[in-house]
């Protein structure tokens, strides 16, 4: 980012001297072939009409001014019809070490999101059972995205939408009551549709321990309500603990029931009717989503009076925008892909630009493996289905990193045995070891009584090999990675970057002696370079919610 910003400033100055405005279609980016320099720009092509001169002629003139204006630029080549290929001097890249050291934990923090409020809603699983590994992947993606957006300067609030109203919660209550009666020896008929997990029996036993047989004397509806409320609270407590253990934080826990209590659903229906976007037909209330490109209109209230999930979702998103968010992010399971156009229609009906105001991130399934073999999803002993089981088995570091090791809408194979191995084939270990390796070098240097001289431009000039410059350039790209991850809502870009940086560090360590490099100045220069790498690895891992150990 420093390189891009610096080049743009030089070009803007050169254009301003010719009374030329900065063209909107100007691009500054790394060329596809590294042999063509560090950055390439089309500025001469897109400004030539303003300048009233051929693009290549303008490019030649800009080339001379760039070389004359800045000692940071070593070479500028004019290519093709007028592209400028710019190569920075080694001293420019070497200063990155000083920049990293000066910024410390704040290296990579940006202000591109200043003034923009974003809400990230994720997990939001029904409180009808414990979180499974699919929820875990969504939790890692949502929490990391929020961290990345904050690092980029956005005002971010995270939220968990508690589906505490509707049919699934009633089924939970009935399921617990069924197990309650069964445990007390009452003659019961197995319900056709109920939650069968062992946790339901445990919840029923808790009620027996607390209430004894008192629920048997209550009307069934009242007894079901007692069971539902108990189950909801206990399950929600478990969900909160699981997320806390997974280093995931939600700023707001928003109960669906509050929408109804506040009249938000009725208010939203009234607004849609006033806009002629909702209408009555066959005893049901319909939303005219075909007005927004949907293949058919959708039911909001069924003929029997029951609300669809879509109805409360519209009211919920209306509430989000009323709270002042500029952008809302929904992180959903990949099985909800057909739901996205409806939510886009909902946002458009609320008077918002659906492309700018709503971002939907789909999270694909996780295939759980053990020793390379896929394992059945079960809560029985020896099987690992729940998020809590996985975290207990491999730790939060490994689980979070693996969930973020691929793009969220790609399938993920998660091998429980592989992520516990301390080998370079394990991506979690691979990145964490990059940090620990550098810290080990400093510990060894201290044991030998060696303390590196302070980092100065003169000292860092010793970092002049192609391997040095490759590391330096990648360090300089870290802020660009944060910007790209934030702008595209793609937190996996951070893990991709860290694997690349760790790989270059490990190769550098193998090919270049550090403590035995020769003279003290070279040793010190390389220690400062690697210390900057460790600092960036640590900063990146922090965004992923993963620790950076000093020893492994």
């Amino acid at each position: 980012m420093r390189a891009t910003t610096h080049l743009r400033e030089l070009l803007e100055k050169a254009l301003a001297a010719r009374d030329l405005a900065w063209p909107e279609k100007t691009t500054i980016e790394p060329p596809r072939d590294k042999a063509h320099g560090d950055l390439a720009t089309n500025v001469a092509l897109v400004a030539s009409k303003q300048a009233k001169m051929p693009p290549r002629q303008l490019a030649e003139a800009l080339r001379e001014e760039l070389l004359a204006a800045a000692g940071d630029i070593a070479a500028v080549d004019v290519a093709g019809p007028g592209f400028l290929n710019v190569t920075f001097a080694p001293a420019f890249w070497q200063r990155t070490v000083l920049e990293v050291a000066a910024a410390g934990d704040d290296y990579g923090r940006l202000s591109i999101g200043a003034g923009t409020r974003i809400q990230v809603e994720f997990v939001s699983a029904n409180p009808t059972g414990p979180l499974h590994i699919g929820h875990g992947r969504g939790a890692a993606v949502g929490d990391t995205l929020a961290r990345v957006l904050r690092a980029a300067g956005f005002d971010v609030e995270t939220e968990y939408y508690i589906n505490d109203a509707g049919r699934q919660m009633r089924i939970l209550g009935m399921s617990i009551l069924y197990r309650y009666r069964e445990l007390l020896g009452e003659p019961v008929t197995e319900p056709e549709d109920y939650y069968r997990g062992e946790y339901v029996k445990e919840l029923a036993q808790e009620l027996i321990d607390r209430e004894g047989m008192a629920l048997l004397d209550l009307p069934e509806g009242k007894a079901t309500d007692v069971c539902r409320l108990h189950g909801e609270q206990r399950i929600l407590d478990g969900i909160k603990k699981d997320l806390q253990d997974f280093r995931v934080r939600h700023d707001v826990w928003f109960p669906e029931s509050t929408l109804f209590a506040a009249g938000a659903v009725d208010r939203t229906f009234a607004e849609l009717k006033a806009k002629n976007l909702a209408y009555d037909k066959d005893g049901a209330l319909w939303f005219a989503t075909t007005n927004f490109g949907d293949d058919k209109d959708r039911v909001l209230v069924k003929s029997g009076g029951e609300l669809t999930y879509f109805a409360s979702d519209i009211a919920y998103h209306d509430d989000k925008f009323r709270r002042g968010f500029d952008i809302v992010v929904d992180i959903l399971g990949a099985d909800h892909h057909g739901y996205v156009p409806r939510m886009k229609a909902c946002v458009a009906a609320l008077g918002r630009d659906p492309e700018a105001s709503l971002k939907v991130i789909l999270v694909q399934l996780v295939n759980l493996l053990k020793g390379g073999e896929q394992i059945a999803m079960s809560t029985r002993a020896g099987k690992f289905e729940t998020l809590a089981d996985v975290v207990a088995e491999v730790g939060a570091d490994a689980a979070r990193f693996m969930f973020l090791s691929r793009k969220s809408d790609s399938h993920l194979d998660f091998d429980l045995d592989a992520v516990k191995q301390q080998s370079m084939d394990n991506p979690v270990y691979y990145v964490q070891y990059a940090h620990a390796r550098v810290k080990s070098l400093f510990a060894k240097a201290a044991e030998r009584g060696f303390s590196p001289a302070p980092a100065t431009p003169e000292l860092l000039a010793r970092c002049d090999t192609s391997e040095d410059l490759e590391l330096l350039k990648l360090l300089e790209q870290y802020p660009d990675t944060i910007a790209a991850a934030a702008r595209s809502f793609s937190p996996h870009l951070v893990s991709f970057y860290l694997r690349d940086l760790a790989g270059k560090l490990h190769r550098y360590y193998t090919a270049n002696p550090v403590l035995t490099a020769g003279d003290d100045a070279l040793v010190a220069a390389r220690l400062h370079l690697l210390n900057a790498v460790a600092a960036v690895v640590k900063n990146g891992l922090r965004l992923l919610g993963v620790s950076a150990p000093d020893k492994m």
Side-chain angles (χ1 to χ4, degrees):
M1 178 164 285
R2 187 165 56 94
T4 303
T5 302
H6 186 47
L7 179 57
R8 174 166 176 154
E9 289 173 350
L10 292 174
L11 289 170
E12 284 180 335
K13 184 177 180 181
L15 291 177
R18 290 178 164 76
D19 293 325
L20 301 177
W22 181 260
E24 287 185 10
K25 296 183 179 180
T26 302
T27 60
I28 301 176
E29 56 192 7
R32 293 181 181 178
D33 187 345
K34 292 182 179 180
H36 293 163
D38 298 317
L39 290 175
T41 178
N42 66 345
V43 66
L45 281 79
V46 293
S48 63
K49 189 174 181 180
Q50 279 189 79
K52 298 179 181 179
M53 59 195 303
R56 193 171 176 91
Q57 183 181 344
L58 177 58
E60 292 286 359
L62 292 174
R63 172 185 180 276
E64 296 303 319
E65 292 188 33
L66 287 175
L67 290 172
D72 287 331
I73 294 178
V76 181
D77 297 320
V78 178
F83 289 98
L84 288 168
N85 293 332
V86 179
T87 301
F88 285 86
F92 177 85
W93 301 114
Q94 290 155 0
R95 287 203 300 275
T96 305
V97 173
L98 301 177
E99 185 178 335
V100 174
D105 290 348
D106 289 331
Y107 183 70
R109 290 197 170 274
L110 310 170
S111 58
I112 61 174
T116 302
R117 292 193 67 208
I118 298 182
Q119 186 219 52
V120 183
E121 184 227 325
F122 60 105
V123 185
S124 298
N126 291 342
T128 55
L131 298 179
H132 55 62
I133 58 170
H135 296 134
R137 190 178 189 188
V141 170
D143 185 69
T144 300
L145 175 61
R147 293 171 187 240
V148 168
L149 289 170
R150 288 185 182 113
F154 291 90
D155 181 4
V156 182
E157 189 172 280
T158 54
E159 185 155 307
Y160 188 116
Y161 182 55
I162 306 170
N163 298 99
D164 62 343
R167 182 170 178 270
Q168 294 306 316
M169 298 309 299
R170 291 196 298 274
I171 292 175
L172 174 66
M174 290 186 292
S175 302
I176 297 172
L177 182 59
Y178 162 66
R179 291 302 188 189
Y180 173 88
R181 288 171 171 169
E182 182 184 56
L183 288 170
L184 288 175
E186 287 284 301
V188 288
T189 302
E190 183 177 17
E192 183 177 336
D193 187 11
Y194 74 104
Y195 290 102
R196 293 169 170 79
E198 192 65 27
Y199 68 94
V200 179
K201 288 185 179 180
E202 294 172 0
L203 292 169
Q205 185 60 55
E206 289 175 1
L207 277 172
I208 292 172
D209 295 341
R210 191 184 80 187
E211 304 288 344
M213 302 176 66
L215 299 189
L216 299 179
D217 298 327
L218 296 177
E220 184 162 335
K222 176 112 176 141
T224 299
D225 285 344
V226 173
C227 291
R228 177 182 59 81
L229 289 171
H230 174 72
E232 176 191 327
Q233 189 56 58
R234 293 287 291 115
I235 290 171
L236 197 57
D237 287 344
I239 287 173
K240 289 181 177 181
K241 183 181 186 307
D242 289 347
L243 291 174
Q244 181 180 354
D245 292 343
F246 199 44
R247 303 175 191 148
V248 170
R249 181 174 67 88
H250 287 89
D251 299 312
V252 175
W253 294 76
F254 189 101
E256 179 185 6
S257 57
T258 62
L259 289 173
F260 297 96
V265 177
D266 291 337
R267 180 185 64 209
T268 302
F269 287 173
E271 289 181 357
L272 292 177
K273 288 179 179 179
K275 296 177 181 178
N276 294 319
L277 294 175
Y279 60 91
D280 296 304
K281 178 184 174 184
D282 301 329
L285 180 65
W286 296 73
F287 178 24
T289 52
T290 50
N291 288 14
F292 305 98
D294 201 357
D295 59 341
K296 62 180 180 180
D297 291 347
R298 305 292 173 173
V299 175
L300 296 175
V301 184
K302 298 178 183 179
S303 57
E306 184 180 359
L307 269 67
T308 63
Y309 283 113
F310 190 37
S312 54
D313 279 346
I314 296 173
Y316 178 42
H317 282 73
D318 188 20
D319 182 84
K320 291 183 181 186
F321 290 122
R322 286 176 183 274
R323 282 185 266 160
F325 294 110
D326 301 298
I327 301 172
V328 297
V329 181
D330 293 349
I331 298 180
L332 306 172
D335 56 335
H336 286 74
H337 66 90
Y339 204 56
V340 177
R342 288 180 237 172
M343 291 313 304
K344 294 282 186 182
C346 151
V347 171
L350 295 173
R352 296 276 181 159
D353 179 349
E355 299 307 316
S357 300
L358 175 66
K359 304 296 179 182
V360 180
I361 298 173
L362 297 177
V363 179
Q364 265 292 358
L365 297 173
V366 180
N367 296 319
L368 203 57
L369 310 175
K370 193 169 179 63
E373 298 292 327
Q374 188 164 350
I375 62 176
M377 292 298 185
S378 171
T379 54
R380 292 190 295 273
K383 306 295 185 181
F384 302 91
E385 178 188 22
T386 67
L387 174 61
D389 285 335
V390 172
V391 172
E393 177 75 359
V394 303
D397 280 346
R400 285 190 66 121
F401 195 96
M402 288 304 299
F403 284 141
L404 295 159
S405 63
R406 299 195 67 189
K407 191 177 179 183
S408 66
D409 61 359
S410 300
H411 280 89
L412 175 67
D413 289 336
F414 191 126
D415 193 313
L416 294 165
D417 288 339
V419 299
K420 290 190 291 185
Q421 295 176 4
Q422 292 198 348
S423 75
M424 291 302 199
D425 293 328
N426 176 357
V428 187
Y429 179 86
Y430 189 71
V431 175
Q432 287 183 317
Y433 186 53
H435 183 269
R437 192 166 224 172
V438 175
K439 295 303 175 183
S440 175
L441 272 176
F442 273 83
K444 290 177 181 177
E447 289 173 3
R448 299 178 185 183
F450 181 80
S451 179
T456 62
E458 294 74 23
L459 180 72
L460 294 171
R462 301 297 300 274
C463 296
D464 58 358
T465 68
S466 60
E467 292 94 343
D468 290 323
L469 292 173
E470 196 172 2
L471 267 180
L472 288 163
K473 290 177 183 180
L474 193 53
L475 289 176
E476 194 270 346
Q477 289 173 21
Y478 178 65
D480 289 319
T481 300
I482 302 306
R487 287 181 172 130
S488 63
F489 298 87
S490 303
H492 67 277
L493 294 179
V494 178
S495 64
F496 284 13
Y497 171 87
L498 290 176
R499 290 177 72 171
D500 191 12
L501 182 60
K504 283 184 169 53
L505 179 134
H506 293 313
R507 287 190 290 275
Y508 183 96
Y509 182 88
T510 301
N512 298 275
V514 180
L515 298 183
T516 58
D519 61 276
D520 287 354
L522 183 57
V523 172
R526 289 184 173 177
L527 281 174
H528 285 301
L529 169 60
L530 296 191
N531 197 43
V533 173
V536 173
V537 168
K538 184 176 182 179
N539 287 356
L541 286 175
R542 186 185 302 112
L543 292 183
L544 301 185
V546 177
S547 68
D550 289 348
K551 295 180 180 180
M552 294 185 72

